[in-house]
Amino acid sequence: MRFVLKTSYDADIRLFKHRAQAVWYALLLLLVLATPLYFVAIGDAYLLGEITGVLILAIAGMGLMLLTGHTGLPSLGHATFMAMGCYVNINLLGAGVPWIVAFPLSGLIAGFFGTLIALPVLRLHGVYLALATLAMSILTGDFVVMAEPWTGGIAGAAVPDINIFGIEINRYSTPYKFYYLVLFVAILLVWFYRNLLRTPTGRSFTAIRDSEISARAMGINLTRTKATSFFLSATAAGLAGALFGHSAGYVTNETFDLVMSITLLLMIVIGGLGFIPGAFFGAIVVGIIPVAIANGRSFLATTFDVNINVPGLESALFAFILVCFILFEPMGLYGRWLKIRTYFELFPFYRKDMFKRQKSYLKTDRVQ
């Protein structure tokens, strides 16, 4: 008789922790694959377009999640890489490059420039790093105007349709095809992200996030690991920017602004820092709020004849939600789900202090 000892380490590196988790993810995959069928039945493509937009935001959010959530490097400049991916994709398509080649190239070129930017910027830490990326995001609109021959400047640029082996894909004329394309990219990125975290490189990201000094003591090359994280993060943002351009159909110097970068950071904080599903939960919240505000205004106007046109209402609501999550649920929506699940798994032995926030740090971290 053969005995196999299964350690916690073995469970940690598996793609799925157990068979039940794999079944639940398979059911979720069937649900998202069948989603367009419902909208075909009711003849409404508007909500399908909103769901597609949520998936695009989730792709960009996973890029920022890798950098901020798993490597511990705050960034307020990911709209810059989205803009770079979008405009590179537009120019490659305009030059006659097939979309199947132009799309991945747009992400890789955005990742390459992200690495060049990261090498000097990553010498900074904490709030100083965030300020450096914030400045980069503020200057994005000016760079777009200065590069008018390639970006269209203030007038903007139209995004060509997607053509894959003779199959035309457009967000407005063929929204179902565009949804499946974005879904395929999102699933592929999730698969790559999840496997990356199981590798020594992914574990190096987490080690740097927890303590840079301890990571250096274990032999991790901080500069190379951070640059790798920045490259992968910018690549994902570039791919999301290319898809965002196809979704919008037309982009200007105001499309990828500072608000976009702040929205991405808000998204991963709300969803749950350090969790891949957190990017999707945050994208759902960020995607739903503008639609909910618009529907609420329409309902009040038609039912009670009340017109609410408050400038900055959406931004104020985002800020309020962010502050509430930081104060009351720092682990985000996915963290709340983990607490609920743990409560029922351990009932009646669950204790509130099991998820108590850590307020003490290593002495090595205090000297950074």
Side-chain angles (χ1 to χ4, degrees):
M1 182 178 295
R2 182 182 179 185
F3 296 93
V4 179
L5 178 62
K6 293 185 178 181
T7 64
S8 59
Y9 178 79
D10 295 329
D12 192 34
I13 65 173
R14 288 201 300 261
L15 188 61
F16 301 103
K17 292 183 178 180
H18 43 74
R19 188 172 299 175
Q21 187 183 55
V23 171
W24 281 112
Y25 275 107
L27 293 176
L28 178 61
L29 178 61
L30 292 176
L31 176 63
V32 295
L33 289 175
T35 297
L37 302 178
Y38 169 76
F39 294 103
V40 169
I42 65 176
D44 184 10
Y46 170 75
L47 289 178
L48 183 63
E50 295 296 325
I51 296 175
T52 306
V54 167
L55 289 176
I56 295 174
L57 287 176
I59 293 173
M62 280 189 285
L64 184 57
M65 184 72 76
L66 177 64
L67 186 67
T68 303
H70 282 102
T71 316
L73 303 175
S75 173
L76 285 170
H78 260 53
T80 302
F81 305 121
M82 291 184 67
M84 191 172 297
C86 177
Y87 285 112
V88 168
N89 183 55
I90 291 174
N91 283 274
L92 289 177
L93 292 177
V97 180
W99 186 88
I100 199 71
V101 177
F103 177 66
L105 275 180
S106 62
L108 291 175
I109 292 175
F112 173 74
F113 279 98
T115 305
L116 293 182
I117 296 173
L119 291 178
V121 168
L122 289 180
R123 295 179 180 274
L124 304 174
H125 296 274
V127 66
Y128 303 105
L129 175 60
L131 289 175
T133 56
L134 176 65
M136 181 177 63
S137 184
I138 293 174
L139 295 174
T140 299
D142 296 329
F143 289 148
V144 171
V145 174
M146 293 169 59
E148 183 176 356
W150 298 279
T151 63
I154 298 176
V159 183
D161 291 340
I162 300 173
N163 189 305
I164 304 177
F165 303 117
I167 301 176
E168 293 287 341
I169 300 177
N170 182 281
R171 187 237 170 143
Y172 300 99
S173 59
T174 56
Y176 309 105
K177 295 179 181 178
F178 187 63
Y179 168 82
Y180 282 120
L181 176 64
V182 175
L183 178 63
F184 173 76
V185 175
I187 293 175
L188 192 65
L189 192 60
V190 168
W191 177 81
F192 174 81
Y193 194 170
R194 183 67 185 91
N195 281 279
L196 175 66
L197 296 180
R198 300 160 62 203
T199 64
T201 302
R203 294 179 179 274
S204 299
F205 295 157
T206 308
I208 291 176
R209 178 196 64 187
D210 293 341
S211 173
E212 290 190 9
I213 296 178
S214 300
R216 187 185 293 112
M218 290 188 293
I220 297 174
N221 189 318
L222 298 186
T223 303
R224 184 177 60 191
T225 305
K226 288 181 179 181
T228 302
S229 177
F230 221 101
F231 169 78
L232 296 174
S233 180
T235 300
L239 296 176
L243 292 174
F244 188 89
H246 288 295
S247 177
Y250 198 90
V251 292
T252 66
N253 63 310
E254 297 180 352
T255 302
F256 303 99
D257 55 2
L258 176 61
V259 176
M260 175 72 75
S261 296
I262 296 176
T263 301
L264 292 177
L265 183 61
L266 168 75
M267 187 173 67
I268 63 172
V269 172
I270 291 177
L273 278 174
F275 304 106
I276 297 178
F280 289 88
F281 288 156
I284 292 172
V285 173
V286 170
I288 285 178
I289 288 179
V291 178
I293 292 176
N295 291 336
R297 285 173 174 171
S298 178
F299 174 77
L300 292 175
T302 56
T303 306
F304 302 102
D305 195 20
V306 177
N307 293 322
I308 300 179
N309 292 318
V310 180
L313 178 61
E314 182 177 328
S315 300
L317 188 56
F318 278 149
F320 175 75
I321 294 175
L322 177 61
V323 170
C324 289
F325 269 95
I326 291 176
L327 291 177
F328 303 110
E329 189 48 83
M331 293 180 66
L333 290 174
Y334 189 72
R336 172 54 58 180
W337 155 247
L338 291 179
K339 292 178 182 180
I340 295 174
R341 189 182 68 182
T342 305
Y343 173 82
F344 285 103
E345 287 179 350
L346 301 181
F347 183 84
F349 303 105
Y350 178 86
R351 293 295 180 267
K352 185 177 180 180
D353 289 342
M354 290 180 62
F355 290 93
K356 188 176 181 180
R357 295 183 65 180
Q358 178 181 347
K359 297 183 179 180
S360 61
Y361 302 92
L362 296 175
K363 292 182 178 180
T364 54
D365 292 332
R366 296 175 185 169
V367 300
Q368 291 187 6

